[in-house]
Amino acid sequence: MIKIGSVGVAVSTRKKQTMFLKVQLHWNVIIAAENLQPEGLMLHRAIIVRLLSDFAVKKATKDLGYFLAVTTLEKIGEGKVRQHTGDVLFPVVFNAITFKFFKGEILEGVVHKVLKHGVFMRCGPIENVYLSNLKMPDYRYVPGENACFMNDKMSKIGKDVTVRFSVIGTKWMEAEREFQALVSLEGDYLGPISTPDI
């Protein structure tokens, strides 16, 4: 069990890191006093709804990546009444799936912006995956209304093209609660794999 702030995380040990992680989280869910119902089923529902809402708002963490889905609710602990508000705090244990890039991983992204010095792609929940022109061997910039990068074999990297790449680095942006990634086409079987024209 790894403790990260107020979040406990159990991550299975494996030789190769992958972009999808199965994690067990320990969170506290606060239910407002006016939402408390004497029926157990309604309370259980209120806890689940609040957990899912908190999960969506949290978005991502540096250590776990982007929160994608709650898979199972393992345990709801005994509620504790908060003195000044009357709200009830319930400790919960649940399993979730997260998404995080790792250096050396081979992934695919879709180009959404073409600049003279490189392209920005989306890959899963990550909006800022940058491929520099310096990391695109044999590709040259072709300016124009539909600017793109092209090589001598007429292989094209432009808007809406899916590109297979290798991750060379990631950066956590705390204020935005998101990651940025720097990627490369240096390696075997990397480059455009589909174009919107096909």
Side-chain angles (χ1 to χ4, degrees), residues 9-28:
V9 181
V11 179
S12 62
T13 57
R14 55 188 165 271
K15 292 179 183 176
K16 186 177 184 234
Q17 294 176 319
T18 60
M19 64 184 160
F20 294 105
L21 304 174
K22 181 179 178 184
V23 296
Q24 187 172 77
L25 301 169
H26 300 256
W27 283 9
N28 291 320

Side-chain angles (χ1 to χ4, degrees), residues 129-156:
V129 177
Y130 182 66
L131 173 59
S132 168
N133 65 334
L134 301 175
K135 294 297 181 181
M136 290 187 250
D138 304 323
Y139 282 86
R140 67 188 186 295
Y141 180 70
V142 179
E145 186 178 323
N146 294 318
C148 65
F149 286 85
M150 197 172 287
N151 68 9
D152 294 336
K153 298 175 185 172
M154 301 307 284
S155 180
K156 176 180 157 182

Side-chain angles (χ1 to χ4, degrees), residues 3 26 52 72 79 84 87-88 90 96 129 135 158 166 173 183:
K3 283 288 185 188
H26 300 256
L52 292 174
T72 56
H84 300 294
D87 298 344
V88 181
F90 292 92
V129 177
K135 294 297 181 181
S166 173
M173 308 299 289
V183 300

Side-chain angles (χ1 to χ4, degrees), residues 22-42:
K22 181 179 178 184
V23 296
Q24 187 172 77
L25 301 169
H26 300 256
W27 283 9
N28 291 320
V29 174
I30 298 171
I31 303 298
E34 58 269 10
N35 293 341
L36 293 172
Q37 303 284 334
E39 301 89 29
L41 226 48
M42 293 306 285

Side-chain angles (χ1 to χ4, degrees), residues 64-121:
L64 298 175
Y66 290 87
F67 294 121
L68 297 182
V70 173
T71 56
T72 56
L73 179 61
E74 296 293 325
K75 179 183 172 189
I76 299 174
E78 188 175 322
K80 296 181 178 115
V81 177
R82 300 176 96 190
Q83 287 188 355
H84 300 294
T85 62
D87 298 344
V88 181
L89 183 138
F90 292 92
V92 296
V93 178
F94 64 98
N95 294 322
I97 302 293
T98 65
F99 176 92
K100 185 176 180 186
F101 277 4
F102 292 99
K103 186 176 178 179
E105 199 166 26
I106 305 297
L107 298 170
E108 295 172 2
V110 178
V111 176
H112 67 87
K113 188 186 288 184
V114 178
L115 305 169
K116 184 178 179 178
H117 299 290
V119 298
F120 280 97
M121 295 180 279

